[in-house]
Amino acid sequence: MNNSLKNKITDQVFKYFAILSTMFGLVVLAIFLADILNQGLSRIDWSFITSLPSRFPEKSGILTALTGTVWIFVLTALISIPIGVAAGIYLEEYGKKTRLANILEINIANLAGVPSIIYGILGLEIFVRTMGLGGSLLAGSFTLSLLILPIIIVATRESIRAVPKTIKEASFALGATKWQTIWSQILPASAGNIITGIILALSRAIGETAPLIVIGALAYVPFVATSPMDEFSVLPMQIFNWISRPQKGFIINAASAIIVLLVFVFIMNGIAVYFRYRTQKKMKW
Amino acid sequence: MEEKKNKYKIETRNISVYYDHKKVLTNVSIQIEPNSVTAFIGPSGCGKSTFLRLFNRMNDYIEGFRKEGDVFIDNKNIYNKRTNVEELRKAVGMVFQKPNPFPKSIYENVAYGLRIQGINKKNTLDEVVEKSLKKAVLWDEVKDDLKNPALALSGGQQQRLCIARALAVEPSVILMDEPASALDPISTSKIEDLIHELKKKYTILIVTHNMHQAGRVSENTGFFYLGELVEFGNTKQIFTNPANEKTENYITGRFG
Ligand SMILES: Nc1ncnc2c1ncn2[C@@H]1O[C@H](COP(=O)(O)OP(=O)(O)OP(=O)(O)O)[C@@H](O)[C@H]1O
Ligand SMILES: [Mg+2]
């Protein structure tokens, strides 16, 4: 067998293997989605969204969990975005390239891989106990912010680094200060990628359960949270709670709540894709 | 430090530059008259860009950069502790080898230098944008598309836009680091014509790999070799009757 034929066969084998792998992932996802939709879709109506949880599955709704998720989303965004983006800018543009900075850099990247329950324990110690926030929305948001800060910092740094150095030079050469260059050139040019990173980080945050269980978020909250100091539940906790019930009705509720959560996450990912697409179209260099 | 007044626009005295421990410029002293074009030639890596970037202090960003000796512009030591680097760069504009417009509109590219000075009045900006684009001989080509992205322009147009952008902040010196090396012959000759025009009002320093270009645009030429300014003088003189053997070898193409 000659070489070119061998190459061709390897090529083909690899191609079909890749297609097969991709198909496998897609099929599993499709089965999962079909199953969830099949179970839960019929249960979703306006009253499901606007009802408080109840002992009776047919009367139960996700109002508290959904508002909790929205609260957590907004608060976590307010806390993590300014801190994460500022830290990313600082590390990339101002931080001296010392040994310490190097160690810090490696560790921030690693932090993104720490199991989320560890953040829960940290949050329990710092926010719930030391700062006395209790099992409140604020404590939960701070904890989730800790969890996603590394992701936002890394995304910010990578987006900033992707802006060509020539842009920076051009700005400096016109007499711009460092801050002017960052604010008027680097951030606008990297905003699309930074926003994508932020949205992906936030969609991770609203899917988390473990750290919130640790800090004492409740599975059953009979009221809608009206302030950041209120106790709360979130969709994943509600789902977790329902799935562990024996009644069939609650299992259906769980499937419906999963659909709502998925829609939430899909919309956010859609926005992320849109921003990435827009930046790519606008920024050709 | 004594700052003796003289008629030169730019002067370096015994300037040496190091990147970490590597010496890339050795004892370069030069005097440049106002409203002239000075070309710098020499083989790759001999320190031309480093030399040029001394005058707007762009080397300051390079890690390990260190210099000895002094650089004067308008009789002011620009490496003085009191020097405001941003002010210096408004007076000493730069055009880079590869056109590097901002990913913004044509208009905003030219207006940027003013905006960062806090000038945001529309009338003023409109005026300056038009004037600068006219000076860079780009106005007629883009006057109806000022809101279009600068990156949609051709390479040659982009480079003229970069020149317009530099002119907008009214510098008195313009540094050009191989401004035409990424361009086609027609764009190149447009840039060269432009340099001829600009020299009436500006002092221009240009690095080029193109010997003919140096011959066409400059009054004076400096030849760098391994970090030393081997020869500096009248362009015609250097090209027809170089004093140094290395210069002659380089110009006749025996190395480079
Ligand atoms: N950022 C840097 N860090 C360290 N050394 C550098 C840096 N930039 C340039 N050098 C070195 O300094 C020397 C002079 O470089 P410079 O860019 O000034 O040369 P040049 O004459 O402009 O070359 P070319 O014609 O290729 O543009 C070279 O030996 C180069 O390797
Ligand atoms: Mg160079």
Side-chain angles (χ1 to χ4, degrees):
Chain A
M1 190 159 46
N2 68 24
N3 246 336
S4 98
L5 189 66
K6 220 160 98 188
N7 282 344
K8 236 182 207 155
I9 292 174
T10 321
D11 223 38
Q12 289 296 315
V13 168
F14 185 74
K15 189 174 120 191
Y16 286 111
F17 179 71
I19 292 175
L20 223 75
S21 308
T22 314
M23 291 304 288
F24 179 74
L26 287 177
V27 166
V28 170
L29 189 66
I31 293 174
F32 164 75
L33 272 180
D35 184 43
I36 292 289
L37 288 174
N38 182 30
Q39 282 194 52
L41 208 51
S42 57
R43 178 68 183 86
I44 295 183
D45 53 20
W46 191 239
S47 79
F48 180 68
I49 298 196
T50 54
S51 297
L52 297 173
S54 144
R55 275 185 301 132
F56 308 104
E58 320 76 56
K59 282 203 202 150
S60 252
I62 53 167
L63 184 61
T64 52
L66 187 60
T67 44
T69 289
V70 173
W71 266 108
I72 285 282
F73 177 79
V74 172
L75 289 175
T76 307
L78 288 179
I79 297 164
S80 63
I81 295 173
I83 299 176
V85 173
I89 293 173
Y90 174 79
L91 288 172
E92 194 58 33
E93 295 292 335
Y94 291 92
K96 293 268 185 313
K97 306 281 179 272
T98 56
R99 272 267 283 290
L100 186 73
N102 263 335
I103 294 170
L104 203 69
E105 174 160 1
I106 294 167
N107 278 302
I108 287 177
N110 283 341
L111 277 180
V114 170
S116 57
I117 198 156
I118 308 285
Y119 286 96
I121 294 167
L122 196 64
L124 179 68
E125 244 351 282
I126 301 177
F127 305 121
V128 178
R129 294 196 180 137
T130 310
M131 289 173 61
L133 296 176
S136 65
L137 280 164
L138 202 56
S141 304
F142 272 124
T143 305
L144 290 177
S145 295
L146 277 188
L147 173 77
I148 64 171
L149 266 175
I151 311 176
I152 297 182
I153 292 173
V154 170
T156 303
R157 296 191 61 177
E158 280 173 0
S159 316
I160 289 178
R161 208 175 307 157
V163 177
K165 236 181 71 197
T166 54
I167 298 291
K168 231 159 104 179
E169 283 197 319
S171 174
F172 284 139
L174 287 166
T177 60
K178 193 158 189 169
W179 175 244
Q180 286 174 328
T181 302
I182 292 171
W183 183 252
S184 337
Q185 298 297 344
I186 296 179
L187 284 182
S190 54
N193 287 338
I194 294 178
I195 291 171
T196 307
I198 288 171
I199 290 175
L200 294 181
L202 284 172
S203 30
R204 162 137 190 231
I206 62 162
E208 280 294 342
T209 328
L212 296 181
I213 293 177
V214 175
I215 67 152
L218 306 170
Y220 175 76
V221 187
F223 58 86
V224 172
T226 53
S227 106
M229 292 311 292
D230 284 347
E231 295 186 307
F232 69 101
S233 184
V234 288
L235 280 173
M237 297 246 345
Q238 183 72 72
I239 293 163
F240 178 70
N241 173 267
W242 275 337
I243 282 181
S244 51
R245 301 283 194 90
Q247 294 102 311
K248 174 87 173 94
F250 281 120
I251 305 293
I252 293 172
N253 280 359
S256 313
I258 287 174
I259 295 173
V260 174
L261 183 61
L262 278 180
V263 167
F264 204 109
V265 173
F266 275 149
I267 291 175
M268 284 184 11
N269 279 277
I271 297 171
V273 169
Y274 168 75
F275 274 113
R276 168 146 298 175
Y277 171 75
R278 221 188 54 169
T279 347
Q280 273 173 1
K281 226 176 68 170
K282 213 172 61 184
M283 311 281 169
K284 283 175 293 183
W285 30 55
Chain B
M1 194 170 308
E2 185 203 357
E3 296 187 7
K4 211 170 65 213
K5 296 266 182 248
N6 59 37
K7 66 186 172 108
Y8 298 116
K9 181 74 188 172
I10 295 176
E11 190 176 358
T12 69
R13 292 188 202 149
N14 286 325
I15 198 93
S16 294
V17 169
Y18 302 81
Y19 291 134
D20 288 320
H21 299 292
K22 194 170 144 206
K23 196 170 191 178
V24 297
L25 284 177
T26 309
N27 279 332
V28 179
S29 296
I30 204 171
Q31 290 161 335
I32 292 171
E33 313 226 349
N35 301 342
S36 65
V37 178
T38 308
F40 295 101
I41 58 172
S44 185
C46 65
K48 305 180 296 293
S49 298
T50 302
F51 185 66
L52 204 65
R53 292 160 62 99
L54 278 173
F55 300 107
N56 63 346
R57 293 191 50 172
M58 286 300 276
N59 289 331
D60 292 16
Y61 296 110
I62 296 174
E63 244 168 278
F65 165 77
R66 190 162 61 78
K67 68 125 188 70
E68 289 162 0
D70 297 309
V71 182
F72 297 90
I73 295 181
D74 293 327
N75 289 300
K76 279 202 271 307
N77 182 339
I78 61 164
Y79 281 86
N80 201 306
K81 279 202 184 67
R82 291 190 306 269
T83 307
N84 178 331
V85 181
E86 284 81 37
E87 288 302 323
L88 169 72
R89 291 185 185 140
K90 283 168 200 162
V92 183
M94 185 160 207
V95 177
F96 296 82
Q97 176 169 4
K98 243 185 89 205
N100 56 354
F102 301 123
K104 297 176 186 279
S105 70
I106 294 171
Y107 184 95
E108 285 305 324
N109 263 276
V110 184
Y112 181 67
L114 297 177
R115 288 202 192 276
I116 55 177
Q117 298 179 35
I119 302 168
N120 284 309
K121 245 180 74 194
K122 189 164 182 310
N123 286 346
T124 317
L125 291 182
D126 286 352
E127 237 169 71
V128 172
V129 168
E130 178 170 349
K131 206 173 76 190
S132 311
L133 285 170
K134 276 181 174 158
K135 279 195 210 158
V137 203
L138 187 60
W139 176 251
D140 289 330
E141 289 158 69
V142 301
K143 61 171 182 260
D144 299 321
D145 316 308
L146 293 177
K147 296 270 167 277
N148 284 9
L151 290 161
L153 295 173
S154 76
Q157 289 173 322
Q158 286 186 14
Q159 194 63 305
R160 277 178 283 146
L161 178 66
C162 291
I163 294 175
R165 181 174 72 182
L167 296 179
V169 290
E170 307 206 315
S172 57
V173 177
I174 303 174
L175 311 171
M176 298 183 163
D177 194 349
E178 305 186 41
S181 68
L183 306 181
D184 62 279
I186 293 172
S187 305
T188 300
S189 86
K190 276 190 186 156
I191 301 269
E192 287 178 10
D193 292 344
L194 183 54
I195 292 172
H196 266 296
E197 201 49 44
L198 293 176
K199 118 181 147 185
K200 292 172 195 155
K201 290 187 67 182
Y202 306 88
T203 307
I204 298 174
L205 276 59
I206 177 171
V207 167
T208 177
H209 264 292
N210 182 330
M211 229 67 65
H212 300 288
Q213 185 170 64
R216 283 191 298 264
V217 300
S218 70
E219 283 104 348
N220 292 306
T221 296
F223 171 63
F224 277 98
Y225 186 68
L226 296 179
E228 284 183 58
L229 183 65
V230 173
E231 192 166 349
F232 179 62
N234 181 278
T235 299
K236 274 210 191 79
Q237 172 83 30
I238 288 207
F239 278 87
T240 53
N241 192 13
N244 190 295
E245 194 188 341
K246 283 183 198 137
T247 317
E248 187 175 352
N249 286 345
Y250 182 69
I251 285 166
T252 53
R254 248 169 276 171
F255 68 84

